[in-house]
Amino acid sequence: MISSVTPAAGSPGGGTLVTLTGSNFIQPSAVRFGPNLATSFTAVSATQITAVAPPGSGTVQITVTTQGGTSNGVAFGYAGAPTLTGVSPTAGPASGGTVVTLTGTNLLAATAVRFGTANATTFTVVSATQITAVAPPGSGTVQVTVTGPGGTSNGLAYSYVAAPVVSAVSPGQGPAAGGNTVTLTGSGFTGATAVRFGATPASSFTVVSATQITAVAPPGSGTVQVTVTGPGGTSNGLAYSYISAPVPALTSVSPGQGPVVGGNTVTLTGSDLTGVTAVAFGSTPATSFTVVSATQINAVAPPGAAGPVQITVTGPGGTSNGVTYFYVGVPTLTGAAPALGPLTGGTTVTLTGTNLLGATAVRFGATPASSFTVVSATQITAVAPAGSGTVQITVVTPGGTSNGVPYTYVAVPVLTSLSPTQGPLNAGTTVTLFGSGLTTTSTVLFGTTPTSFTVVSDTWVTAIDPSGPAGPVNVRVTTPGGTSNSLVYTRVAGPGI
């Protein structure tokens, strides 16, 4: 009679050593696994036989035959080798102790779970497709395997991870209301699952790298320990202090505008500015800043897009209200009219372009305009100063200095001779005027009467004498450079009978 079989299952390929216990195992002549004879067997005693299972499949009955007959049968299952399809979690601390869930097939009757060569601290067969095992201590990445009657499974990776280490917390203090961003530096931050300020989770956190985390402090009080928890466990703690400090306030910024390229220094005034740790133009940090006193900060504006932004400051007590700062586009000039004028200056010139509001200077070359008026964002009128030659007109605004447009200083024209110097009373005589600076002639006058003319060159203009009374008349020319000297032209009456 057979009372038990150990193990009750084995590999389909055979070879499993099975111990049969029972009674009357006297001179056994055969041990069968179903219809198949055991590969070999040994009668240990009248109550025990060891037998090597032959190949087989499914569940069969083991029987023992002696001179007294054939025994009852006890079940023996041929089990397939276990397989693993999943390990969760896939990492844990080097000290072990992590409960790991293994999923796969043929996991019933598992006899061992190993992490590398180390046996699991404990394991529980949940079903044919699931085992929970407690990871032993270890290091590096190992293969988790399951051994059962059908053999040993494939391996799946499990990593032993060192506990994170926090080496610095910056800033080391913040407002009791929380909300400030704290940078943690250290090691082992990859896969971090929690950042805590004391027992309170951070409002949010971002793993920047294996050595840096940024976390938003939750509300709190007193001094707490900041810790990081990851697959390797929970880090050491570093102190962070909650400060009941007043929230800084801003009342003004001067100047209130600047170029889109940044770089200009602005002065912020307000209250409770001592200990400010950040100055921002919109969402962009100031290029640099200096806390002058509890009521003043000097900050260098970063580059920005044209338009308004809010400047804020952050201190231990929190973030201030915002004051408006305008980023101004660089001015451009597209035209100047007129583009000519006398050496003595005084000409009113209309400049057109873009981004001209807030102009602080208009220059003709290096010389400031005698005066100017900003008409609109696209127009300025400026009075030309004295000068010579051709210069570039530029406009300066908080956004920078514009491109230049040319403006030419023209000398006063000079007349040296007329030909002919006299003519009839009636119109029509062509008079040639000789001199200099005549290229830009705009008017030729005989007395006070303008006449038609043709500019031949800078030294030569021809004009048609208008009709007039007998006698001398002064001839003059006008250019943007002014009005010339006068030469006498005489009208002579014709002979009469």
Side-chain angles (χ1 to χ4, degrees), residues 250 252-256 264-270 281 292 295-300 311 323:
L250 292 179
S252 66
V253 55
S254 179
N264 58 310
T265 299
V266 301
T267 298
L268 305 173
T269 54
F281 286 65
V292 179
T295 60
Q296 184 176 317
I297 291 176
N298 294 333
V300 177
I311 302 178
V323 290

Side-chain angles (χ1 to χ4, degrees), residues 10-37:
S11 169
T16 302
L17 181 62
V18 179
T19 298
L20 307 174
T21 56
S23 60
N24 298 321
F25 293 158
I26 299 170
Q27 295 182 345
S29 58
V31 175
R32 288 184 174 84
F33 287 70
N36 299 319
L37 289 170

Side-chain angles (χ1 to χ4, degrees), residues 191-257:
T193 55
V195 175
R196 292 184 176 87
F197 287 67
T200 307
S203 298
S204 65
F205 70 91
T206 301
V207 178
V208 179
S209 69
T211 60
Q212 186 178 97
I213 289 176
T214 58
V216 177
S221 62
T223 298
V224 298
Q225 297 293 307
V226 181
T227 58
V228 175
T229 299
T234 297
S235 73
N236 59 303
L238 287 185
Y240 177 86
S241 298
Y242 286 99
I243 299 176
S244 296
V247 178
L250 292 179
T251 55
S252 66
V253 55
S254 179
Q257 55 188 3

Side-chain angles (χ1 to χ4, degrees), residues 7-75:
S11 169
T16 302
L17 181 62
V18 179
T19 298
L20 307 174
T21 56
S23 60
N24 298 321
F25 293 158
I26 299 170
Q27 295 182 345
S29 58
V31 175
R32 288 184 174 84
F33 287 70
N36 299 319
L37 289 170
T39 302
S40 64
F41 70 91
T42 300
V44 178
S45 69
T47 60
Q48 187 180 90
I49 293 175
T50 59
V52 176
S57 61
T59 300
V60 297
Q61 298 293 310
I62 302 177
T63 58
V64 175
T65 301
T66 68
Q67 290 178 347
T70 299
S71 71
N72 61 303
V74 290

